[in-house]
Each structure stands twice: as structure tokens, then as C-alpha cells.
Amino acid sequence: MPKIKTANDPLRSHYEAIANQVLRHSQWSEIRSNLIRSGMRLSKQNVAKYAKFRQLAPRKHITLLQREAYQEFINQYGSRPDFLGVELIEIVQQLYPPIKNRPTQIRKRFYAVGLKCDRSSIYSFQDACKAVASCLLYTPKEWK
């Protein structure tokens, strides 16, 4: 059965254009509720960010803790052009305590976004953002 648009919602249209897919009403309702639960306002800018995030990790949802940790990273380190691997790992561990004692998970999260996890490597700000976002997506088993 083909997916049919049932509402004329500009935010939904914006999401569909960025994600390059047509959503069912139930899918759009779930996306809206995930945005609200994570503390994001319903705006075109936030919908675009969420659509790009879902392309990076289609089966993950953003929690308020993860969003705040990522925003804290952007606010504190947004002016830095690059990061040493050791610094970036320490920053991730400070921002998101659930991954603190899990070096294997940190390495896996770096590889998930196509980056080598090396303490002596130098990462650009864009690569650091990808790595931090990927590490923040880690959910410990005890949370599931």
C-alpha cells in the first residue's frame, strides 16, 4: 500500500524533503513526540537537525541528556579548530558518564562514523562533532 500524505504540515514537508522519504501519519507523530520529549522546539531548524540525525542513526532516538551534552560540547568547544585524540576522549567521558569506563564502546562509536580512534590523532571540529554525537548515542544495557 503506498504512503499517502494526509496533512498539510509545513514541518512534516520540510522533514520529508531533507530525509528524502514520504512519512505515514504514525511515523510523523512519533517523530514529533521524540522531538518534544528531547526538549526541542518544533521549528524548521530543529526538524532539519533531527532529519540529519536520523540519517546518521535511523533507529536511535535523542534523549534530553544526550541533547544537552551535545549542546554543552558545542558551546564550550565551538571555537576550537582541532582536537587531539586524548583530549577528545576525555571530553566525551566528561560529557556523558555512561560511556566513561567503556573504552571499547568509545572506539566502536568512532568507527561507526568512519573515524579512527587514536589517542595521538588530530581531529577537526567537524570530525569531533561526529564522534561526540556518535558516542552520545551509546545506551548502556542497564538503561534498556
Side-chain angles (χ1 to χ4, degrees):
M1 177 176 239
K3 298 177 184 177
I4 300 171
K5 269 191 186 180
T6 57
N8 192 11
D9 187 352
L11 294 177
R12 178 179 174 172
S13 301
H14 189 64
Y15 182 93
E16 289 175 339
I18 292 171
N20 197 22
Q21 69 183 58
V22 178
L23 300 174
R24 292 187 306 266
H25 178 70
S26 60
Q27 290 172 313
W28 176 242
S29 296
E30 182 183 348
I31 289 168
R32 283 176 57 102
S33 65
N34 287 334
L35 281 167
I36 292 168
R37 244 184 275 130
S38 69
M40 298 174 89
R41 288 184 309 112
L42 291 176
S43 67
K44 279 193 170 191
Q45 183 181 14
N46 287 338
V47 167
K49 285 180 188 177
Y50 192 74
K52 290 176 185 173
F53 162 75
R54 290 298 294 246
Q55 288 175 338
L56 190 70
R59 294 192 174 133
K60 296 282 186 174
H61 300 290
I62 303 172
T63 64
L64 186 58
L65 174 68
Q66 292 164 333
R67 190 182 68 80
E68 287 174 349
Y70 186 73
Q71 195 61 44
E72 184 180 337
F73 172 75
I74 297 292
N75 293 340
Q76 285 183 0
Y77 304 102
S79 60
R80 289 185 59 179
D82 54 5
F83 297 85
L84 192 60
V86 175
E87 297 170 335
L88 190 56
I89 291 169
E90 288 175 5
I91 290 169
V92 166
Q93 290 173 340
Q94 289 172 359
L95 286 174
Y96 195 54
I99 205 166
K100 185 171 185 154
N101 297 322
R102 294 180 162 81
T104 305
Q105 283 302 325
I106 293 173
R107 195 173 322 111
K108 285 180 181 179
R109 302 311 317 161
F110 271 64
Y111 288 138
V113 291
L115 297 173
K116 180 182 172 189
C117 183
D118 186 16
R119 298 176 74 79
S120 61
S121 293
I122 296 176
Y123 299 95
S124 68
F125 181 70
Q126 277 187 326
D127 288 343
C129 286
K130 288 179 187 177
V132 168
S134 181
C135 287
L136 292 175
L137 292 176
Y138 171 70
T139 306
K141 286 183 181 178
E142 55 267 13
W143 286 16
K144 292 180 182 176

